[in-house]
Structure formats: C-alpha cells, structure tokens
Amino acid sequence: LEVSLLRPDAVTGLVSVCMSGLTQDYPADIVAMFGELKRLARTQSVDAAKAVWARCGWFTQARENSAIAALLDAYLRDYTGWYWLHDTSATNLVPPAIDRLEQLAVPTLVIDGALDLAYNHRIANVLASRIRNANLLRVPVGHMASLEAADDVTRAIGQHVS
C-alpha cells in the first residue's frame, strides 16, 4: 500500500489480503495482546510469548484445519521474537496512508476473510470504499485466507492481474 502511494509510477495493481495495521487505532484487546507479547518475551521467554500469539484470534479459524495449524506452528517455531524483544524505529507515512487512499488509482483487489476479526473487516471496508477501482472479495474463512482458501485467493489474484 505504501509503495503504491510513494511510487505510483511503479505500481500497476494492488492486492490486499486480510490487511491489518492501516490505522494505529487498534482495538483495546489487540493493544493489550501486543503489550503482553512484549512483556512475556522480555521478562519470561520468547516461547512464552509464542504460546500467547499462537492462540490469538487471527489464527482461531485457521487452526481448525490440522494441516494449516501444523504449518502455523512451524512458522511460529522459526520466529525469533525480534519485534517483541526490540523497540523499532519504524515510522508511518506522513500524512498516513489511510488519509491518502483516494489518491490510489490502480486496480485494487481487497480480499477479506468473512470469519476474520471485526477490526480487519473495518479495514477491508475502508479500502474497498475509498480506493478508486477497488473490488472487495469476502472468502468464507478467517484471517489466514491465503492458507485457508489458497485456491480461491490464487484464482482471484490471477483474475485481477490478467
């Protein structure tokens, strides 16, 4: 999204799949979870933080499929916990991306998991309503749509770019 805003000459299309982080106004439960992840990683262990992260709402639906649950566990095993252990100096665009969505003119596909968190539905709806040439596709899965409905997501992206 940010590259599309910063270098529109380099982008011919955009696909968003179950986006998070468009705004910094996370719901209180997500803010609390991120705080708990950092606290656990820094005061107990990265493994303690991983145990909390593995149970977060973004993964609930995906974990109902044992193969996807095993894949998520493998990803989590490989994660070092770097972002939980370190403060980052990352900065956001000024003005923020959410205030500039109307500037985007490239064909955009917004994919949203119908069973994802309400927070993510709000982001998908904002993207779809404020980006010109945006289409919203809701797939009957959770936050991990590219894993839970890989064929549907791949087909939609293929149709979008062709």
Side-chain angles (χ1 to χ4, degrees), residues 57-134:
W58 279 309
F59 307 126
T60 302
Q61 185 66 33
R63 287 191 168 284
E64 291 183 9
N65 178 310
S66 60
I68 295 173
L71 187 58
L72 291 172
D73 289 340
Y75 293 159
L76 193 54
R77 258 191 315 278
D78 290 342
Y79 181 54
T80 64
W82 193 93
Y83 282 98
W84 301 331
L85 295 168
H86 300 88
D87 293 323
T88 64
S89 59
T91 58
N92 294 318
L93 291 179
V94 177
I98 193 167
D99 294 339
R100 299 167 61 178
L101 295 175
E102 289 81 5
Q103 295 174 13
L104 295 172
V106 296
T108 301
L109 174 61
V110 179
I111 299 175
D112 183 39
L115 304 175
D116 202 350
L117 303 179
Y119 162 76
N120 296 94
H121 295 315
R122 285 192 301 275
I123 291 173
N125 291 337
V126 166
L127 292 173
S129 67
R130 294 190 38 212
I131 298 173
R132 291 176 287 180
N133 303 314

